[in-house]
Amino acid sequence: MSNEKMVRISATIPPKLLKEFDEIIEKIGIDRSKAIQNAIRSFLNEYKPIFEKEGFNIGSIILIYDHKARGLEEKLTDIQHDFSQVINSTMHIHLDENNCLEIIAVKGELKIIEKLSKTLLSLKGVKQVKLALISTKA
Ligand code: NI
C-alpha cells in the first residue's frame, strides 16, 4: 500500500445497486472505500488494455475445452510451446467427463498475449476463452 494522499469523491448510484454492493462487501469484510478502490482497479484492468495496446502485461488466460475433441490437446500443447515467451505456467483441471479447464499464467507483450488468446479461441473444441489482465500500477 502506498502512502499517497487520498482524495474524497462523491457519486450517484441507484439504491438497489448500493444495497447489493454493501451486502457483498460486508460478507468480504472490507469497507466501502476499499471496495470502491478495488472496483476501480478492476475496471481499469478491464478497459485500459483496450486503449493502450502497447506495453508489458501480466494476467491469465482461462479456457474450457472438450477434451474428446480430436487432436485438440496436442494442438493446445504445440501452441503453448510456440508462445512460451509469454507463458509462465499452465494449470490443468479435469472438470468432468468431457470438459477440461486450463489456466495459463501470462506475462509479456500484450500483442503476443492477445494473439495467443485469439489462437486458442479459434481451435475447434475450445468452448470459452477469457483473458484477464491485471496490473501492478493501478
Ligand atoms: Ni483434462
Side-chain angles (χ1 to χ4, degrees):
M1 190 55 84
S2 71
N3 287 324
E4 67 180 323
K5 213 175 157 204
M6 295 292 180
V7 290
R8 184 175 288 273
I9 61 161
S10 78
T12 311
I13 60 169
K16 194 172 171 274
L17 183 63
L18 183 64
K19 189 173 174 274
E20 278 184 62
F21 187 69
D22 283 342
E23 280 168 9
I24 293 294
I25 65 176
E26 201 193 325
K27 281 177 188 160
I28 300 169
I30 55 173
D31 62 29
R32 256 191 205 163
S33 292
K34 179 103 182 165
I36 290 167
Q37 287 168 40
N38 209 307
I40 292 173
R41 285 193 187 99
S42 294
F43 180 89
L44 290 173
N45 287 335
E46 190 170 346
Y47 287 99
K48 263 173 106 173
I50 298 167
F51 301 101
E52 296 174 8
K53 287 286 176 192
E54 302 294 321
F56 179 84
N57 281 269
I58 50 173
S60 64
I61 298 171
I62 304 160
L63 64 141
I64 287 180
Y65 67 89
D66 179 355
H67 97 111
K68 287 180 177 166
R70 211 169 172 170
L72 180 57
E73 288 189 323
E74 273 187 338
K75 275 184 201 154
L76 285 169
T77 304
D78 285 346
I79 289 164
Q80 290 187 53
H81 277 268
D82 292 342
F83 284 86
S84 61
Q85 80 225 74
V86 293
I87 297 176
N88 280 69
S89 74
T90 302
M91 184 191 285
H92 184 99
I93 297 136
H94 313 296
L95 288 180
D96 54 42
E97 209 180 304
N98 296 304
N99 296 297
C100 288
L101 172 72
E102 228 159 72
I103 303 167
I104 305 169
V106 290
K107 186 172 89 174
E109 281 297 318
L110 181 62
K111 278 177 190 165
I112 302 167
I113 293 169
E114 280 183 333
K115 196 178 170 203
L116 168 61
S117 181
K118 281 176 195 160
T119 306
L120 294 169
L121 186 61
S122 73
L123 298 173
K124 204 178 168 206
V126 172
K127 295 173 179 177
Q128 220 188 114
V129 175
K130 188 169 180 176
L131 170 60
L133 296 170
I134 197 158
S135 174
T136 53
K137 291 172 198 151

